[in-house]
Amino acid sequence: MSAVTADREREAGSPTSRRRRPVAGTAVTRPPVPVRKLSVWTRLRKDRPLILMTLPGVILLVVFAYVPMLGNIIAWQEYNPVRGFVDSPFVAWDNFVRVFQNPSFALAVKNTLVITAFQLVFYFPVPVVLALLLNSVLSVKVRTFIQSVVYLPHFFSWVIVVTVFQQMFGGAGLVNRVLIDHGMQPFDLMTNPNTFLVLITSQAIWKDAGWGIIIFLAALSTVDPALYEAVAIDGGNGWRRMWHVTLPALRSVVVLLLILRLGDALNVGFEQLILQRAAVGTDVSEVIDTYVYYQGVIAGDWGFATAAGLMKGVVSLLLVLGANKIAHMVGEAGVYQKA
C-alpha cells in the first residue's frame, strides 16, 4: 500500500471526513443565517422616494376621508348648525332609537338591499363576460374599437345617462314612436315603478360595465400562453381552455372585486336615483342615501340623518369582514390576510 493510499484511508476513516461527507439520501442541515432587522428610521430613509410619492394621496385621504369622520359625533347630539358641536345638547342614543323605529327608514333599507341583491346577480357578472369575449377577439383593431365603444359611457354623467334613456324609452321616446308607427301598444319604461329595478340596473350596466372589464383584461394578460397550448395538445376545445385556464386565472380577481362590491353595496347610486325619484315615487326609489339627504339636508334633522348614515357604514364594514372571511375559507387572499 502506498503512502498516498494510506493517507486517503485515514482521511476516509477520520471523524472529520465522516462529518464532511453526508450519507447519500440525507439532507445537509446548516445553521440558519441570522437576518439583521432594520430599524424603523432606516426603513424610512430607504423608502423615502416611495413615501414622498404617496404623501400627497395620504394627505388628501386624511383631510377628506378621516377628518370628516369626527363629525359623526352629531349622531349623539341634537345638532344645531348655529350652536355648533360644542353647544349642541347630547341626546345619547335617542337618534339611533328613532332610526330603528322609523318606518320610512325601514323602507329605505329594504329598497337598498333589494337593489343591491339584484345588481349583484345581474350586473356584477357582466364585466367578466365582456372581458372573456374581448379576450377571444383575435384582431387587435376590432378589440380596440370595441373597448373604446364600451368604455365611453363611463365618462358620461348620470344626467346624460338618464336623458339618453328618456329619449329612447320614455313616453315620447324613439322606441315608442317606432311601436306606434307599426300599430303596436307603446309603453313608458321611465315612469313605471314595476320595472324601475330593471331600468336602473340597465343604466348601470350601460354606463360602467365597460369600464369594469379593465381589471379583468389585465388579469387575463398575465396568463401564460403555454397553458392554453397544453390544453390544446391534450385535445381541449375553447370551452375547456376557458374552464381550466381562463376562469382560474380570474378567480382571485373576481373574489377581491366581489368583496369590495359588497363593501360598497349599500351605495346604490345616489345621483342616479335622485334624478328619477319623482318619476316613479319613493316606494321603489327611496334608498338610505336619498333618505339621509332629505332628512338631514332638506329637513334639517342632522343628528337623525347622521345616525342613519353611521348605521349604513357599520353594516358595510360587517359585509366586507364577512366576505373576506369566506374568501379565506375557500383559499383566496381576499382584501387582507393576517400576517
Side-chain angles (χ1 to χ4, degrees):
M1 184 186 307
S2 64
V4 176
T5 305
D7 292 340
R8 290 178 177 176
E9 290 180 354
R10 285 195 298 271
E11 290 178 0
S14 63
T16 305
S17 62
R18 286 195 297 268
R19 288 195 299 269
R20 291 178 180 175
R21 296 182 181 180
V23 180
T26 61
V28 179
T29 58
R30 295 185 177 88
V33 178
V35 179
R36 186 171 62 90
K37 293 185 178 181
L38 300 177
S39 63
V40 176
W41 294 110
T42 303
R43 293 199 298 267
L44 290 177
R45 286 194 299 268
K46 181 181 178 181
D47 298 332
R48 183 171 55 184
L50 297 177
I51 295 174
L52 292 177
M53 289 175 59
T54 58
L55 189 60
V58 172
I59 293 175
L60 290 175
L61 182 65
V62 171
V63 172
F64 293 102
Y66 288 98
V67 173
M69 289 184 182
L70 299 176
N72 285 327
I73 189 64
I74 67 178
W76 290 269
Q77 291 180 325
E78 188 179 345
Y79 180 72
N80 189 327
V82 178
R83 295 180 179 180
F85 296 103
V86 178
D87 296 330
S88 296
F90 279 85
V91 293
W93 298 93
D94 290 352
N95 289 326
F96 292 92
V97 173
R98 291 170 53 204
V99 167
F100 285 109
Q101 293 179 347
N102 195 308
S104 298
F105 180 74
L107 176 63
V109 172
K110 175 187 173 183
N111 290 337
T112 303
L113 295 177
V114 169
I115 295 173
T116 297
F118 191 85
Q119 293 188 353
L120 196 63
V121 174
F122 294 99
Y123 167 71
F124 184 79
V126 173
V128 181
V129 175
L130 288 177
L132 294 175
L133 292 176
L134 280 178
N135 190 62
S136 63
V137 176
L138 299 179
S139 175
V140 178
K141 292 183 178 180
V142 175
R143 185 187 305 174
T144 303
F145 174 76
I146 296 175
Q147 288 178 355
S148 301
V149 172
V150 297
Y151 289 170
L152 185 61
H154 173 76
F155 301 98
F156 297 162
S157 67
W158 277 113
V159 176
I160 297 178
V161 172
V162 174
T163 302
V164 170
F165 271 74
Q166 178 66 38
Q167 295 298 320
M168 292 294 297
F169 304 104
L174 178 63
V175 174
N176 279 335
R177 291 180 181 176
V178 173
L179 293 177
I180 293 174
D181 291 341
H182 290 78
M184 291 182 284
Q185 185 70 25
F187 67 95
D188 189 0
L189 182 65
M190 302 299 295
T191 59
N192 188 353
N194 297 324
T195 58
F196 181 69
L197 193 58
V198 178
L199 173 65
I200 60 176
T201 304
S202 303
Q203 293 171 348
I205 291 174
W206 184 70
K207 185 179 187 298
D208 290 327
W211 183 259
I213 69 176
I214 293 178
I215 299 178
F216 298 109
L217 287 177
L220 289 175
S221 65
T222 62
V223 179
D224 189 358
L227 298 177
Y228 292 108
E229 296 174 0
V231 177
I233 292 174
D234 292 339
N237 54 18
W239 289 104
R240 289 289 183 181
R241 291 195 293 270
M242 182 183 68
W243 184 259
H244 293 288
V245 179
T246 306
L247 292 181
L250 289 177
R251 188 177 68 172
S252 59
V253 179
V254 170
V255 171
L256 175 61
L257 293 182
L258 181 60
I259 295 173
L260 297 177
R261 175 66 179 173
L262 287 175
D264 196 48
L266 301 185
N267 298 324
V268 289
F270 170 77
E271 186 179 356
Q272 177 192 13
L273 293 174
I274 204 170
L275 287 171
Q276 304 174 89
R277 187 172 182 266
V280 296
T282 59
D283 290 341
V284 295
S285 64
E286 187 78 292
V287 295
I288 297 178
D289 285 341
T290 58
Y291 181 79
V292 170
Y293 170 75
Y294 279 99
Q295 289 293 325
V297 178
I298 303 301
D301 197 348
W302 307 97
F304 177 80
T306 304
L310 194 58
M311 291 302 302
K312 186 192 77 169
V314 172
V315 173
S316 298
L317 177 61
L318 293 177
L319 287 175
V320 171
L321 295 178
N324 196 72
K325 183 65 175 179
I326 295 175
H328 291 169
M329 293 172 61
V330 298
E332 295 295 335
V335 178
Y336 66 90
Q337 281 183 315
K338 293 183 178 180

